[in-house]
Amino acid sequence: MPLEKIYIARHGFRLNWVTTTWQSPTGLDRDPPLAAYGETQAKELANYFLSLPEDERPTAIFSSPYYRCLQTSQPTAKALNLPIYVEHGLSEWYSPVKPGTGLHPRPGSATSLRSYIAEIDPQWSSVWYPSQKGEGVSEVHDRTDGFLEVFIPALERIFNGKHQRILLCSHAATVITLVRSLIGDRDLPLRVGCCSLSELDLVPHQNGSVLNGNENKAIGTWKAIKLADGSHLEQGASREWGFEHIEIEAGKVVEDPGVPGTETHLEGPTGAQIAQSLL
């Protein structure tokens, strides 16, 4: 059976928004864990999925490799008895790196992250890697377009149509661009709060059949059932973010410094990690 429903959640409330003395469990720069409030939000998200009829629940979870997203995914994985698949295509958005300051961080492999989150299944290999040199606004939209065009057919081929409903856990900017890509509207006004949830259904053909595996059903072929909804959270959506919050200078997004000590490092793999001929 083809993929028919995609849930997209933003991670919960971050600890570095509460204190400046936090430490990253993974040791990675810019990889804070959830605050206690964020952990509560993640449990509320899991309770929401448990409240759904079984035939509406996700049957697979794909998470950004950042710890806060894996933490957010974990209660749902435990509640629904699902593995977590790590996907770098869902990673955080960083604006273009300031020249001469190195590279943006990149989390480790699924195998290495499994030592922190036992529910991770390392059998899934990421199909996309964002550039460690950062992305402009149009580039992060291009990234999610490209990711979805590779990811959806790979998901259906690798799992042989097993999953009709999936949950993606990511970050504010990436959540927004994923939604915009799926519905085919890069100008869609959208702000997403912590642990808010979007729900999208595949649009059927006019004859009533869904798109088959040989056609592009990633971009512009989905309809929104919910957008950045926080009604499942006791305190509603919090820390809402949208692209209108970015800092612009001379018509471009302001550059960010790379991680100190990476000035001579070579960039890791970028873009699609699976040949189109295999999809």
Side-chain angles (χ1 to χ4, degrees):
M1 296 291 289
L3 179 65
E4 295 182 353
K5 184 182 289 290
I6 300 177
Y7 295 102
I8 308 177
R10 184 188 177 190
H11 61 74
F13 203 89
R14 293 162 44 163
L15 183 59
N16 65 313
W17 293 334
V18 178
T19 177
T20 59
T21 58
W22 63 275
Q23 290 185 333
S24 171
T26 66
L28 182 72
D29 191 77
R30 307 176 197 169
D31 194 19
L34 298 179
Y37 176 40
E39 292 178 358
T40 297
Q41 290 176 317
K43 292 175 183 176
E44 290 175 330
L45 181 65
N47 289 336
Y48 169 74
F49 285 121
L50 269 178
S51 74
L52 296 178
E54 191 168 347
D55 62 358
E56 293 182 18
R57 298 172 184 173
T59 59
I61 302 172
F62 293 84
S63 172
S64 159
Y66 282 86
Y67 192 74
R68 56 192 177 273
C69 289
L70 296 170
Q71 265 189 300
T72 300
S73 302
Q74 192 173 36
T76 298
K78 289 181 176 180
L80 302 185
N81 192 29
L82 302 177
I84 298 171
Y85 299 111
V86 174
E87 175 51 63
H88 281 256
L90 300 172
S91 289
E92 176 70 284
W93 171 55
Y94 295 110
S95 60
V97 74
K98 188 174 182 180
T101 65
L103 300 171
H104 289 308
R106 174 170 287 174
S109 66
T111 300
S112 67
L113 292 170
R114 196 167 188 257
S115 63
Y116 308 103
I117 304 290
E119 289 74 19
I120 290 175
D121 185 336
Q123 298 306 307
W124 175 266
S125 296
S126 290
V127 301
W128 194 279
Y129 283 89
S131 172
Q132 290 183 267
K133 297 178 181 178
E135 303 162 309
V137 174
S138 63
E139 291 171 322
V140 67
H141 283 83
D142 291 343
R143 186 234 295 189
T144 50
D145 279 358
F147 162 68
L148 289 166
E149 288 173 344
V150 173
F151 170 73
I152 291 178
L155 167 74
E156 295 185 338
R157 177 180 59 82
I158 291 169
F159 291 102
N160 197 27
K162 176 182 177 182
H163 300 298
Q164 294 177 267
R165 302 171 303 279
I166 62 170
L167 168 63
L168 308 180
C169 186
S170 189
H171 311 261
T174 315
V175 167
I176 292 172
T177 59
L178 285 167
V179 170
R180 287 176 171 179
S181 292
L182 288 165
I183 67 173
D185 182 0
R186 287 195 175 189
D187 297 319
L188 176 74
L190 187 62
R191 292 184 180 184
V192 294
C194 292
C195 263
S196 62
L197 187 66
S198 296
E199 178 183 347
L200 299 101
D201 283 354
L202 183 63
V203 177
H205 275 170
Q206 289 184 351
N207 63 8
S209 64
V210 296
L211 296 170
N212 64 47
N214 296 320
E215 297 173 285
N216 181 344
K217 63 181 193 179
I219 310 304
T221 56
W222 298 76
K223 63 179 179 181
I225 307 302
K226 290 183 179 181
L227 286 176
D229 182 73
S231 61
H232 56 285
L233 304 170
E234 183 177 351
Q235 297 188 39
S238 61
R239 194 91 181 192
E240 292 180 314
W241 187 92
F243 274 99
E244 65 271 20
H245 293 136
I246 63 175
E247 189 176 352
I248 298 291
E249 183 178 319
K252 296 183 178 180
V253 63
V254 171
E255 297 170 335
D256 279 337
V259 176
T262 64
E263 292 82 359
T264 61
H265 290 189
L266 296 176
E267 184 178 19
T270 61
Q273 302 301 300
I274 186 168
Q276 289 287 343
S277 61
L278 297 177
L279 299 178

